[in-house]
Amino acid sequence: MPLSRTLGSITVTALTDSEGAFFQPRTEAFPHATAAHWREADRRDPTSVTADGQWWLPFRSFAIRAGDGPVTLIDAGIGPADAPAASWAPVPGRLPAELAAAGIDPADVDTVVLTHLHSDHIGWAVTGNPGRPYFPNASYLLQRAELDAAEKINPGLPAGLVAPLRAAGQLRVVDGETALTPAVRLLATPGHTPGHQSVLLTSADQRMLLTGDLLVHAVQLVDPDLSYAHEEDPDEARRSRTTLLKALSPTLLATPHLGTPFTPA
């Protein structure tokens, strides 16, 4: 059964699509991390490193549901065997089975928030040939800055993702901070990609930040100033990460790639 946390009436369920070793040594992915950084990161997140020192990471989506209402899905995983992430990620993913184990039918999902357009976050958004939205009743939310940069991020995105969503009338473009409900708010956190967004949940005195790739490894909790090699704009990504973590501390993080899905910060 997928792991979940509750904030008031809201249940947040972590859905692990797959997991595997990263394609690059972690010392190259985080070139400024020191041996001390790695020791502390491995202490905090011991399952993220293999016996031979590789970065082992899960690929997660998160489902948000208030009571028995409709579901908001944060990100769409790595996808089936023919998904865009197949060139580097451990496809096929198991998100359909994870949803079923959590009692969620794809038709129950009324909103899909795509934190950004990297291939390991969009895999189940559109499937088949010709491509169709996997979640038939959902609006897919994307920051305008991310949509504008889609072709630069991946030349296949306009035809493979954006066009099918538009044709189905399921693409919703947002600009900056946007309230979805009184408890669910989109936050613009650019840098990893031009239109990266995170999701903040609040309920009474509780809050949870669904980070997307605002941070991708515990080493960036040890030192949020550390850049990741695959950030489009490292300086902007650093500002987004350090500013938000400082502003929200303490909070609970829900992360796609750390060893455990829910991490206090």
Side-chain angles (χ1 to χ4, degrees):
M1 185 71 182
L3 189 64
S4 64
R5 292 286 185 272
T6 58
L7 281 80
S9 66
I10 302 171
T11 300
V12 181
T13 303
L15 306 165
T16 301
D17 199 25
S18 191
E19 56 185 294
F22 197 57
F23 64 85
Q24 180 183 37
R26 65 183 192 167
T27 52
E28 294 180 9
F30 302 92
H32 303 296
T34 66
H37 285 135
W38 289 121
R39 283 194 298 272
E40 178 60 14
D42 292 345
R43 185 191 70 80
R44 293 192 189 189
D45 193 8
T47 64
S48 68
V49 60
T50 65
D52 60 354
Q54 293 186 83
W55 177 15
W56 186 267
L57 69 164
F59 299 84
R60 294 189 194 94
S61 302
F62 290 88
I64 301 169
R65 193 171 210 169
D68 59 357
V71 175
T72 294
L73 185 69
I74 313 301
D75 283 329
I78 59 171
D82 60 350
S87 64
W88 68 276
V91 298
R94 58 179 187 265
L95 184 60
E98 288 279 285
L99 288 165
I104 299 170
D105 188 281
D108 296 337
V109 178
D110 78 343
T111 303
V112 176
V113 176
L114 298 176
T115 62
H116 64 295
L117 292 179
H118 282 166
S119 58
D120 56 319
H121 292 256
I122 62 168
W124 294 98
V126 170
T127 59
N129 188 14
R132 294 180 179 176
Y134 184 77
F135 302 96
N137 299 320
S139 295
Y140 287 70
L141 274 58
L142 194 65
Q143 288 284 333
R144 187 175 304 278
E146 192 76 354
L147 180 62
D148 290 346
E151 188 167 8
K152 179 182 177 184
I153 293 169
N154 185 325
L157 284 170
L161 177 76
V162 177
L165 292 179
R166 277 188 167 144
Q170 290 178 237
L171 180 64
R172 177 183 168 192
V173 181
V174 297
D175 286 294
E177 185 170 335
T178 303
L180 302 186
T181 72
V184 183
R185 183 173 295 273
L186 305 181
L187 304 178
T189 49
H192 183 74
T193 59
H196 187 280
Q197 60 185 341
S198 303
V199 182
L200 180 63
L201 307 184
T202 56
S203 178
D205 60 347
Q206 296 178 291
R207 59 191 175 193
M208 179 187 294
L209 180 67
L210 295 100
T211 63
D213 282 358
L214 181 73
L215 59 96
V216 297
H217 192 285
V219 76
Q220 291 178 297
L221 286 177
V222 174
D223 186 351
D225 282 334
L226 287 174
S227 295
Y228 171 51
H230 302 286
E231 291 165 341
E232 294 282 339
D233 186 330
D235 290 337
E236 190 170 42
R238 184 183 300 109
R239 283 192 296 272
S240 291
R241 183 168 52 252
T242 57
T243 300
L244 197 54
L245 290 178
K246 182 178 180 180
L248 295 179
S249 182
T251 192
L252 185 64
L253 305 180
T255 63
H257 302 307
L258 270 63
T260 54
F262 301 104
T263 303

